[in-house]
């Protein structure tokens, strides 16, 4: 049990004793062979082997896959780069897995963000008054990367425009990286990442994939027949204030259709299993409605937009229509997010924060035999998605304190830690959201923004 909790520790405790025993035994064997005869050498060697500590082979196997973990404790050693709102959300969920991961480094140039992160650690029980349990706090990424050999997992939660460069800097190292969206904010950044020979293992933080209502909708997709239309709406409040107001600048965000909507473009691909026909993406947008009390900018970021595009699959030869509707001056909306999927046999509607999915079936000929009158009222099936574990099929307790994405970050961390464990055991890395997924979502946003100028 102790070996399973702390892979390799048992081995390290035995090795000095075994080396000493082996050395003494080898010397004795050689002397005996000289005095008595060479046949005794084999018997002596076997005696030394029989003194090998129990389960040594098993411990060697555990040690083989103990990369990306502290060899003493087996815990994943994590560094948080960027300790603002999303960095703090990740910290709060990491605290829910004290037997799997610990935070060794916090890095942010803004001291109040570091202070707030320490408060989050205390709030969720990861540290107490014992200063030895405090992560090392740094203000510069250059200082952090000097500790790369002591870091198994890097969480990138810095401003958007810094993501790509950080991945490129850390990409030469044997480390796992969880990078917040968007992974890039320009075509140049996108193209660099697309061709970069990265050694690091990437997981892009597309939390919306793990929202319980989205997971339930995905499970119900076979009930609607062939997908023909997908509509996603977000009706919400304006962007919150960030340090230095970087999220008000097109250059630093890639504009709203990249910064905010990459989440939704990723969902379009996830739901349909199809790709966007980029040369046919069309958008309409409004600017300059929000932030009137702030300094005037030469080019305000997008406040509202429609984005329409066809999607298709070269494998299945299927296609559909898709539409994104975004309004960031709709604080009074009943729903913040709506995902509507319509197929040849039915329709699914997911609503947030209600966190429910409504399912409808089209009536067949027997149910609607008289086509001169409207069809009978359809039977409405409602799926309550408030039980995160049940929707995602997770057994055991996970930290689900809500956060900013309807507990989806809890599921994201559950899946990420499972993927890292699998990699440690098998050497195989399979992220739920790959770098290619993150880049595809960014490319759609860039193309939609570009279409505004055409």
């Amino acid at each position: 049990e102790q070996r399973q909790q702390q892979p390799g520790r048992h081995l390290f405790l035995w090795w000095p004793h075994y080396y000493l025993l082996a050395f003494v035994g080898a010397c004795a064997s050689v002397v005996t062979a000289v005095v008595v005869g060479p046949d005794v050498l084999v018997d002596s060697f076997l005696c030394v082997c029989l003194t090998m500590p129990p389960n040594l082979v098993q411990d060697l196997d555990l040690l083989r896959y103990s990369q990306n973990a502290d060899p003493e404790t087996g815990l994943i050693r994590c560094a948080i780069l960027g300790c603002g709102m999303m960095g703090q959300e990740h910290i709060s969920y990491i605290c829910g897995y004290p037997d799997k991961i610990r935070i060794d480094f916090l890095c942010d140039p803004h001291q109040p963000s570091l202070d707030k992160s320490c408060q989050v650690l205390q709030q969720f029980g990861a540290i107490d008054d014992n200063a030895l349990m405090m992560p090392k706090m740094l203000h510069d990424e250059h200082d952090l990367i000097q500790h790369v050999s002591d870091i198994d997992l890097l969480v990138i939660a810095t401003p958007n425009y810094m993501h790509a460069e950080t991945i490129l800097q850390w990409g030469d190292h044997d480390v796992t990286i969880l990078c917040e969206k968007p992974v890039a904010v320009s075509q140049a950044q996108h193209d660099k990442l697309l061709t970069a020979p990265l050694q690091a293992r990437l997981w892009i933080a597309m939390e919306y994939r793990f929202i319980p209502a989205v997971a339930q909708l995905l499970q119900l997709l076979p009930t609607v027949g062939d997908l023909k239309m997908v509509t996603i709406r977000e009706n919400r409040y304006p962007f919150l204030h960030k340090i230095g107001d970087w999220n008000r600048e097109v250059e630093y965000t890639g504009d709203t259709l990249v910064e905010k909507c990459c989440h939704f473009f990723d969902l379009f691909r996830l739901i349909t299993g199809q790709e966007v026909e980029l040369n046919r993406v069309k958008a309409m947008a409004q600017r300059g409605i929000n932030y009137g009390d702030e300094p005037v900018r030469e080019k305000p970021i997008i406040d509202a937009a429609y984005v329409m595009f066809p999607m298709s699959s070269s494998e299945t030869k299927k296609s559909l229509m898709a539409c994104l509707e975004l309004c960031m001056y709709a604080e009074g909306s009943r729903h913040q997010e709506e995902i509507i999927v319509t197929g040849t046999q039915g329709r699914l509607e997911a609503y947030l924060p209600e966190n429910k999915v409504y399912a409808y079936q089209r009536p067949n000929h027997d149910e609607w035999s008289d086509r001169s009158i409207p069809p009978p009222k359809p039977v409405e099936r409602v799926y309550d998605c408030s039980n995160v574990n049940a929707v995602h099929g997770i057994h055991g307790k996970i930290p689900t304190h809500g956060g900013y994405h309807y507990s989806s970050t809890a599921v994201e961390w559950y899946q990420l830690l499972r993927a890292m464990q699998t990699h440690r055991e098998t050497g195989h890395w399979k992220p739920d959201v790959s770098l290619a997924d993150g880049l595809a979502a960014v490319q759609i946003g860039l193309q939609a923004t570009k279409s505004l100028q055409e």
Side-chain angles (χ1 to χ4, degrees), residues 2 49 111-112 115 222 300 302 306 348 354 365 399:
Q2 186 178 16
C49 290
Q111 185 61 42
D115 296 339
I302 293 172
Y306 287 106
L348 301 171
E354 186 177 351
H365 188 272

Side-chain angles (χ1 to χ4, degrees), residues 86-94 178 180 207 412-413:
M86 279 310 302
Q88 292 163 24
E89 172 155 340
H90 287 300
I91 290 170
S92 71
Y93 282 107
I94 292 172
L178 171 68
E180 266 300 325
E207 286 85 8
E412 179 179 53
W413 272 100

Side-chain angles (χ1 to χ4, degrees), residues 230-235 256-258 261 264-265 268 280-287 289 302-310 322-330 338 444-453:
V230 180
T231 301
I232 298 179
R233 299 189 186 98
E234 181 165 47
N235 309 288
T256 308
L257 297 182
V258 172
C261 298
F264 303 120
F265 296 135
F268 280 113
R280 298 177 64 187
V281 174
K282 299 296 181 184
M284 300 169 55
Q286 295 174 329
R287 303 178 184 271
I289 297 174
I302 293 172
D303 294 313
Y306 287 106
V307 183
M308 295 172 290
F309 45 86
C323 179
L324 171 68
E325 176 187 325
L326 173 72
C327 182
M328 299 194 65
Y329 50 90
E338 305 174 13
I444 301 167
L446 291 171
Q447 186 64 32
T449 306
K450 180 182 177 182
S451 75
L452 297 172
Q453 305 167 3

Side-chain angles (χ1 to χ4, degrees), residues 93-112:
Y93 282 107
I94 292 172
C95 293
Y97 297 96
D99 59 333
K100 293 182 174 61
I101 184 172
R102 70 167 187 251
I103 299 174
D104 286 356
F105 299 93
L106 297 175
C107 184
D108 196 294
H110 190 60
Q111 185 61 42

Side-chain angles (χ1 to χ4, degrees), residues 240-254:
L240 302 176
H241 282 282
K242 302 289 185 180
I243 297 170
D245 286 338
W246 63 265
N247 63 336
R248 304 291 197 268
E249 301 290 346
V250 171
E251 178 184 0
Y252 295 153
T253 63

